[in-house]
Amino acid sequence: MLTIVIALIVGMLAGFFSGNALNNMAWGSVIGVVSLLAIQISAGLFIRRQVNKVNNAIQTQLQEVQAKLQRKINMMQQRPGMSPKFLQSAVEKDQTQAVHKALEMTETLKKYYLWSPLLSKQISTMKMMFHYQIKEFDKVDALMSQCLFFDPTSSAMRIARMYRKNDPKLDKFAQGKLKRAKGEQAVLLFALYSWILVKRNDINAAIKVLADSKKRCANEVLNANWERLVNGKTKNFSNAALGEMWYMLYLEEPKVKTQRMRQQY
């Protein structure tokens, strides 16, 4: 917001003084607009570089933790008598610590919030997704109103939380996202909403959603689920073949948890 205010002030002053100096207010207006745009673009590029630095640092940190976790899982699985619950607990503890460190790193961007109108919402969305990953759903719910839902993952997380909380606005939000979803990015949203409809025992609506998915994205899992519902095999409906894309929403638990641990990041 400060960037816009400063750019407007500088643009107006540049236009006024240059117009008087040139004795031509038309040229003064042009110079004012150019000055305004130059400040906006320069500030935007500077803030983007700062955000990218933090994003890259976070990704590097998570990749390093992922590599360490993979080695830890391999070593622990080789020990005879290793309890799967103990292994899961140890890995989840390390994951939680890594995500908390990533959340701390996002705090360094707070100083730029006043300079970029959408930056606060972008960072809130990132933080919400981190909290979701480590099942801190109270913090997820607290951040939802401050987030942007332009990508399928954050949108799916919101829909999943709306489902858990029996939010009456779920259908309107989900249907709005499905109308604009297409390609590979649409798969998770169609899979999630059809799953919710099946859970509600609204099979006809689920069939319609999956039929619509055929026009938006070609996916074997969605097509298989459509065939199961059409043929009355509702009990065979499953999104398990989507793997971590599906299980990251924590609506169902995978049968083989160690595989999920390897793919958590």
Side-chain angles (χ1 to χ4, degrees):
M1 186 62 68
L2 282 179
T3 304
I4 297 174
V5 173
I6 292 173
L8 284 171
I9 293 173
V10 172
M12 291 172 65
L13 291 174
F16 177 77
F17 287 112
S18 60
N20 286 335
L22 296 171
N23 198 25
N24 188 324
M25 294 310 295
W27 273 109
S29 298
V30 172
I31 293 173
V33 171
V34 171
S35 300
L36 184 153
L37 292 175
I39 292 175
Q40 278 280 81
I41 293 172
S42 298
L45 290 174
F46 172 77
I47 293 173
R48 180 179 295 179
R49 282 196 295 269
Q50 303 310 308
V51 173
N52 286 339
K53 284 182 182 178
V54 175
N55 280 336
N56 291 336
I58 289 173
Q59 291 300 318
T60 299
Q61 188 255 148
L62 292 179
Q63 288 171 1
E64 290 175 353
V65 172
Q66 181 184 14
K68 290 179 181 178
L69 282 176
Q70 185 63 64
R71 291 194 295 269
K72 186 173 185 177
I73 291 172
N74 292 338
M75 290 175 61
M76 295 180 74
Q77 285 181 331
Q78 292 173 5
R79 296 178 184 176
M82 174 58 63
S83 168
K85 288 186 178 180
F86 178 81
L87 174 59
Q88 181 182 5
S89 176
V91 171
E92 287 181 350
K93 181 180 179 181
D94 289 345
Q95 289 174 341
T96 299
Q97 290 176 348
V99 171
H100 281 161
K101 184 176 180 181
L103 286 165
E104 290 176 5
M105 294 169 74
T106 65
E107 295 299 306
T108 60
L109 295 172
K110 273 189 173 182
K111 56 189 175 185
Y112 301 113
Y113 285 1
L114 290 176
W115 297 89
S116 178
L118 292 179
L119 182 58
S120 175
K121 288 186 175 292
Q122 292 171 347
I123 300 305
S124 292
T125 306
M126 182 190 300
K127 292 167 68 175
M128 180 275 290
M129 295 172 73
F130 277 138
H131 284 301
Y132 198 109
Q133 181 179 344
I134 55 177
K135 302 181 182 181
E136 294 180 343
F137 296 122
D138 55 335
K139 295 179 180 179
V140 169
D141 295 337
L143 285 167
M144 281 292 181
S145 62
Q146 306 168 38
C147 296
L148 298 170
F149 298 100
F150 293 146
D151 68 285
T153 302
S154 62
S155 297
M157 287 178 173
R158 182 179 181 184
I159 294 171
R161 291 306 298 155
M162 295 173 86
Y163 169 74
R164 290 294 195 192
K165 298 169 67 178
N166 295 316
D167 192 324
K169 297 180 181 179
L170 185 157
D171 294 289
K172 182 178 180 180
F173 179 80
Q175 290 166 8
K177 291 299 177 182
L178 288 179
K179 286 181 181 179
R180 294 184 289 273
K182 60 181 179 179
E184 286 299 314
Q185 293 188 336
V187 173
L188 179 59
L189 293 175
F190 277 106
L192 172 58
Y193 191 45
S194 61
W195 181 88
I196 290 173
L197 292 171
V198 170
K199 288 296 180 180
R200 292 176 179 172
N201 203 32
D202 193 350
I203 307 305
N204 289 334
I207 290 174
K208 184 178 183 304
V209 167
L210 291 172
D212 290 341
S213 75
K214 295 174 180 289
K215 307 171 187 176
R216 302 295 186 88
C217 53
N219 183 268
E220 295 180 0
V221 176
L222 298 179
N223 291 338
N225 279 334
W226 176 83
E227 291 180 2
R228 289 162 184 157
L229 296 183
V230 168
N231 293 316
K233 299 179 180 179
T234 305
K235 292 183 178 180
N236 294 332
F237 181 99
S238 174
N239 287 327
L242 293 177
E244 185 59 24
M245 180 195 296
W246 171 246
Y247 290 121
M248 70 177 180
L249 297 176
Y250 298 118
L251 294 173
E252 292 183 322
E253 285 292 330
K255 293 182 179 180
V256 183
K257 293 184 179 180
T258 53
Q259 180 65 25
R260 182 180 179 179
M261 293 176 204
R262 293 173 180 170
Q263 298 175 347
Q264 186 69 24
Y265 287 99

